[in-house]
Amino acid sequence: MAYIPYGGADLGEILAVGQAVGDGDDSDFYNAWTAAGERLAEEATQCQRRRLRSSARELFLRASAFYATSYRPLFGPQRDPRLLEAFNRQRDLFNAGLALCNYPLEPMRIPFEGTSMPAWLIPAIGMEQEVRPLIILNNGYDATVTDLYFFSAVAASRRGYHCLIFDGPGQGEMLFEQNMPLRPDWETVITAVIDFTLHLPVVAPNRIAIFGESLGGYLAPRAASVEHRLAACIADPGLWSIVGQFRDFVGKLGAAPDAVNNLGDLDAQTLARLTQAIAAEPQLKWKIMQRGFWTHGVDNVGDYLRSAEQFTMEGRAGAIACPTLLTQAENDPLARGAQDFFDRLACPKALLHFSAAEGAGSHCEMHNRSLLNRRVLDWLDGVLFHL
């Protein structure tokens, strides 16, 4: 639904897929989304043959978004072949769409620790070859570059920003194909990204911002605490740590208060109860045992928690120097600590609240993404265009 204003779907298409899935399982979900995506891809190919360039571009990109949605329930360290197949199709369609832009766009590679990360520069519309401010768009746990494109790159490029979208460790290609897990020291990733962007002639080197979504609400501030070439930082939502909201859940299982404060040191009995509770709840099982284990490169709850405890802004928030914007959606449990995070910042700062009454109370304001982008970009305009 967040992609609707930016060409990633229409409501009727989403509802039709939902009807096709019905009461089905993960395979039915996958099949419904890939079937709809392939229908769009076939229409795009027909438009391309008829030299309907604009329609072909829109349809290829939309088909990419459908494929990007299809495999989410299949996450897991076993790397379901259907996930890899859909991801490859998603990437091919994304590239096909971007190649049909008025200023054709091609994929790039960012060197990183003996390998490389996939990236795309989405230029400011109508100012493709001009030197402009750059927004580095930073994913979280689940999403890939296709999602970043529809999350905010379309909106920002319309506003006059160049955008750099990429998959980092634990994300998209880096996880699916290179099996590179997520890492807490995200400054190492963003340093490589900035080094790369400074070689792009259209990037204003003193006007580079980072905009993190979901878990990116931790990754972006973490990077900004060390990488001081950033001129601004946006965290949607302001996320102090991964395990913050998980502590209450563990406490309800009878863990001692001291243990709850460091989930990486839970005793064997508590870990056994926790593992059983996670396995019994489908949503938690997906988040922890499928996505979490795979993304962190672990195979048990204890190692997952030891890894997750490293993802914290404790002792780092005060090192952020650039202007920083945090968001807090009313009904997003991940945003619960945004005010406390905001209070600990010593840099120029702002906190944006989003409400259910505005249709923007959910995680990352997904039901009113255009409102989020408008307010965030208004704030960023005031920061970067006055440097």
Side-chain angles (χ1 to χ4, degrees), residues 8-9 13 33-46 55-56 58-64 66 93:
E13 294 173 316
W33 278 108
T34 54
E38 198 55 33
R39 185 179 66 249
L40 292 169
E42 290 171 2
E43 187 177 353
T45 300
Q46 293 171 7
S55 290
E58 293 173 8
L59 287 164
F60 277 131
L61 292 170
R62 184 172 297 201
S64 177
F66 278 43
L93 293 165

Side-chain angles (χ1 to χ4, degrees), residues 19-361:
Q19 289 179 335
V21 177
D23 294 326
D25 59 13
D26 293 346
S27 293
D28 294 311
F29 182 93
Y30 174 87
N31 291 335
W33 278 108
T34 54
E38 198 55 33
R39 185 179 66 249
L40 292 169
E42 290 171 2
E43 187 177 353
T45 300
Q46 293 171 7
C47 288
Q48 191 174 25
R49 288 171 182 161
R50 296 166 57 196
R51 298 183 180 180
L52 301 174
R53 185 185 181 99
S54 179
S55 290
R57 178 182 68 248
E58 293 173 8
L59 287 164
F60 277 131
L61 292 170
R62 184 172 297 201
S64 177
F66 278 43
Y67 270 95
T69 304
S70 70
Y71 53 75
R72 303 295 172 85
L74 306 180
F75 267 46
Q78 73 279 0
R79 295 206 296 174
D80 191 306
R82 293 173 297 173
L83 183 152
L84 298 176
E85 181 180 348
F87 175 70
N88 282 321
R89 188 67 172 137
Q90 166 197 339
R91 181 170 49 193
D92 289 345
L93 293 165
F94 190 63
N95 286 335
L98 293 182
L100 293 175
C101 290
N102 293 333
Y103 187 84
L105 308 180
E106 296 182 355
M108 303 179 295
R109 307 294 305 189
I110 299 175
F112 182 71
E113 295 189 352
T115 183
S116 62
M117 302 182 289
W120 288 255
L121 180 69
I122 310 300
I125 295 175
M127 295 173 277
E128 289 85 354
Q129 294 182 292
E130 297 181 21
V131 177
R132 303 292 301 170
L134 175 77
I135 303 176
I136 298 169
L137 291 172
N138 201 130
N139 261 325
Y141 257 128
D142 314 329
T144 65
V145 289
T146 297
D147 302 290
L148 283 175
Y149 178 81
F150 290 110
F151 278 161
S152 293
V154 174
S157 66
R158 291 173 180 172
R159 185 72 76 99
Y161 290 95
H162 298 321
C163 293
L164 193 287
I165 58 178
F166 73 103
D167 284 334
Q171 302 169 334
E173 178 198 308
M174 303 302 288
L175 178 65
F176 301 167
E177 296 184 346
Q178 299 193 41
N179 207 29
M180 181 177 286
L182 191 69
R183 55 193 294 169
D185 57 336
W186 204 249
E187 64 275 9
T188 61
V189 178
I190 297 305
T191 291
V193 172
I194 294 176
D195 288 346
F196 176 82
T197 63
L198 291 177
H199 290 93
L200 301 175
V202 296
V203 172
N206 65 330
R207 296 181 181 183
I208 298 175
I210 188 168
F211 184 176
E213 309 287 351
S214 193
L215 178 61
Y218 159 79
L219 299 174
R222 168 65 190 248
S225 71
V226 176
E227 182 47 82
H228 296 300
R229 290 178 293 180
L230 290 167
C233 175
I234 300 153
D236 177 35
L239 186 59
W240 186 260
S241 72
I242 287 182
V243 296
Q245 64 166 344
F246 205 59
R247 299 190 196 281
D248 292 341
F249 179 76
V250 177
K252 291 176 182 178
L253 294 175
D258 289 346
V260 171
N261 289 333
N262 186 358
L263 298 181
D265 288 338
L266 291 178
D267 62 87
Q269 187 177 14
T270 302
L271 271 177
R273 291 201 306 272
L274 179 59
T275 300
Q276 185 177 20
I278 292 171
E281 206 286 301
Q283 196 172 73
L284 265 182
K285 181 180 178 182
W286 180 84
K287 287 181 178 180
I288 306 299
M289 293 181 166
Q290 290 180 236
R291 181 193 67 182
F293 284 8
W294 189 24
T295 305
H296 287 258
V298 301
D299 62 6
N300 61 82
V301 172
D303 286 344
Y304 168 78
L305 292 174
R306 277 184 281 277
S307 175
E309 281 283 17
Q310 299 176 56
F311 290 75
T312 175
M313 288 300 297
E314 190 68 44
R316 297 183 180 278
I320 300 175
C322 64
T324 296
L325 172 67
L326 308 183
T327 72
Q328 185 175 42
E330 181 179 2
N331 296 325
D332 180 8
L334 292 183
R336 198 174 299 155
Q339 181 67 57
D340 182 58
F341 190 169
F342 178 79
D343 292 341
R344 299 196 199 191
L345 291 172
C347 56
K349 58 186 179 179
L351 177 62
L352 288 181
H353 296 277
F354 293 89
S355 68
E358 300 169 305

